[in-house]
Amino acid sequence: CKCNFISFIFLSLGTGSSILSALQDLFWLLKSKAEKQLQIISVLQWVLTFLIMGIACTLILMYILCTDCWAIAALYLAWLVFDWNTPKKGGRRSQWVRNWAMWRYFRDYFPIRLVKTHNLLTTRNYIFGYHPHGIMGLGAFCNFSTEATGVSQKFPGIQPYLATLAGNFRMPILRDYLMSGGICPVNRDSMDYILSKNGSGNAIIIVVGGAAESLNCTPGKNSVTLKNRKGFVKLALRHGADLVPVYSFGENEVYKQVIFEEGSWGRWVQKTFQKHIGFAPCIFHGRGLFSSNTWGLLPYSRPITTVVGEPITIPKIDNPSQKDVDFYHSIYVDSLIKLFDKYKSKFGLPETEVLEVN
């Protein structure tokens, strides 16, 4: 009653509505700032996971082995030996982890959007070719390793598996974190298991360009490394899995990179790492943690729109010839270019923009 009386007095004086409006504006301002900070934190944790989590967890485990808590590390290592082949058998996804609220803040930071163009049959298996790689494949991760953009609702009955370097699954803790999101090693054992022993309705997302493509990604450039990347087509033929072209507009816009010319010492170092270790070290930067006007590890908040194209029906051929592989590879390249041309103007590119296929 006392509060109602005070409100009545303010309203009678003609200032109540302005006070309430000011409080409401303050509330939304504070909420907006809090959401922005949560978005930054969610993206930062993934960037640090991508860059240092594997090495950090390995060093911490080695340190614990030298302390009085060595038994904890020993138990985990015993579990690691027992669980070593799990990544090769589809992994161990967690719908709870995939639905974390953190991933929705991650999505909204850019924002990231998933566009469906055709239905996918649950009676078939699929290989999604994701382009371009970008520096970290942020669109691929958000769309297919979390439920932030509603992949399960857009493609009901389809189980996505994002494929990444097999070396990541030799890193303690990191391997379990990756598997919880439905991420699997991009090696033959894992691919064969998912496409032949895991039923139907599976979709393996392969970032076809890989490390080689990441070396050339830069804002304003739409190019893919694809001409000599045919292993994924041969895999599709051996299992009769349909190929689906996927293009992510904006993936190259979120980081700026120093591009080394072919023949330079910098490119030699990058290619040497790529050949022997599997990844190529890039010199890149985004924005700072506290200001978008400074350099840092955070990506720039640029829209990323991932468009999933029309599936290409692939026959099952146990031992496909090179002619078979080349034929379906050319169909795939044409489909990717058509997908890019159809949607480029809708997502901020001029009609004259051409997808460069290397």
Side-chain angles (χ1 to χ4, degrees):
C1 293
K2 186 176 180 180
C3 291
N4 289 337
F5 176 75
I6 294 172
S7 298
F8 175 76
I9 294 297
F10 275 115
L11 289 170
S12 299
L13 293 173
T15 59
S17 59
S18 60
I19 292 174
L20 291 174
S21 178
L23 289 174
Q24 189 176 43
D25 290 344
L26 179 61
F27 170 77
W28 286 113
L29 179 63
L30 293 173
K31 183 180 179 181
S32 177
K33 286 186 176 181
E35 287 184 349
K36 189 62 181 176
Q37 294 304 315
L38 288 171
Q39 291 170 11
I40 289 173
I41 291 170
S42 66
V43 174
L44 180 62
Q45 72 82 27
W46 174 248
V47 170
L48 294 177
T49 295
F50 182 90
L51 294 176
I52 65 171
M53 184 177 179
I55 295 174
C57 288
T58 301
L59 293 175
I60 290 171
L61 196 66
M62 292 173 62
Y63 171 75
I64 293 175
L65 279 171
C66 300
T67 68
D68 293 339
C69 298
W70 63 270
I72 297 174
L75 284 172
Y76 178 80
L77 288 173
W79 159 254
L80 193 62
V81 172
F82 174 78
D83 194 56
W84 190 253
N85 289 323
T86 298
K88 299 178 183 179
K89 298 180 179 180
R92 185 173 49 248
R93 75 176 55 220
S94 166
Q95 286 302 118
W96 175 66
V97 173
R98 287 175 61 89
N99 281 288
W100 277 353
M102 176 172 64
W103 305 131
R104 294 193 290 276
Y105 289 112
F106 182 101
R107 172 200 66 196
D108 293 339
Y109 173 86
F110 296 92
I112 296 174
R113 180 186 172 201
L114 180 65
V115 176
K116 168 187 174 180
T117 63
H118 291 78
N119 292 324
L120 299 181
L121 300 175
T122 57
T123 55
R124 301 285 292 173
N125 283 325
Y126 300 91
I127 295 177
F128 288 17
Y130 184 92
H131 314 269
H133 184 286
I135 295 292
M136 297 184 186
L138 294 166
F141 168 75
C142 183
N143 284 308
F144 302 112
S145 293
T146 80
E147 293 296 331
T149 56
V151 63
S152 294
Q153 287 72 43
K154 288 183 170 70
F155 300 103
I158 302 298
Q159 188 101 297
Y161 294 86
L162 177 61
T164 188
L165 290 175
N168 289 324
F169 296 88
R170 301 187 188 101
M171 301 286 190
I173 310 300
L174 175 64
R175 66 188 293 277
D176 301 289
Y177 190 33
L178 295 179
M179 283 194 292
S180 67
I183 301 177
C184 66
V186 61
N187 58 28
R188 181 164 180 172
D189 289 341
S190 178
M191 305 291 99
D192 286 345
Y193 182 91
I194 293 170
L195 295 174
S196 64
K197 299 179 181 179
N198 206 37
S200 60
N202 302 295
I204 300 175
I205 297 88
I206 300 177
V207 186
V208 178
E213 190 173 86
S214 69
L215 297 179
N216 296 313
C217 71
T218 187
K221 186 174 183 179
N222 288 283
S223 67
V224 296
T225 301
L226 183 57
K227 281 184 179 178
N228 297 316
R229 299 295 175 109
K230 299 180 180 181
F232 73 107
V233 178
K234 187 175 183 179
L235 178 68
L237 285 165
R238 286 198 297 106
H239 292 284
D242 293 348
L243 289 171
V244 182
V246 179
Y247 197 84
S248 209
F249 295 89
E251 185 72 63
N252 284 346
E253 308 299 316
V254 296
Y255 279 111
K256 296 179 180 179
Q257 180 183 191
V258 177
I259 305 294
F260 293 100
E261 297 294 331
E262 290 292 339
S264 66
W265 68 270
R267 184 54 63 104
W268 178 83
V269 170
Q270 290 176 322
K271 287 190 172 181
T272 301
F273 265 81
Q274 178 191 337
K275 181 179 179 180
H276 297 288
I277 301 179
F279 73 93
C282 302
I283 299 177
F284 65 92
H285 74 84
R287 53 155 290 182
L289 182 60
F290 303 106
S291 172
S292 59
N293 297 320
T294 58
W295 288 8
L297 289 177
L298 277 177
Y300 293 104
S301 53
R302 306 284 189 268
I304 298 175
T305 305
T306 303
V307 184
V308 180
E310 182 178 3
I312 303 165
T313 303
I314 302 294
K316 188 177 187 302
I317 305 175
D318 291 333
N319 294 297
S321 65
Q322 190 60 48
K323 185 178 179 180
D324 294 324
V325 174
D326 291 342
F327 175 73
Y328 284 101
H329 182 267
S330 65
I331 293 176
Y332 178 86
V333 173
D334 289 342
S335 296
L336 178 64
I337 293 172
K338 288 177 182 177
L339 179 71
F340 177 84
D341 289 340
K342 182 177 180 179
Y343 289 94
K344 60 186 178 184
S345 61
K346 294 182 180 180
F347 303 118
L349 298 179
E351 282 291 346
T352 54
E353 185 73 19
V354 176
L355 179 62
E356 182 184 330
V357 180
N358 299 312

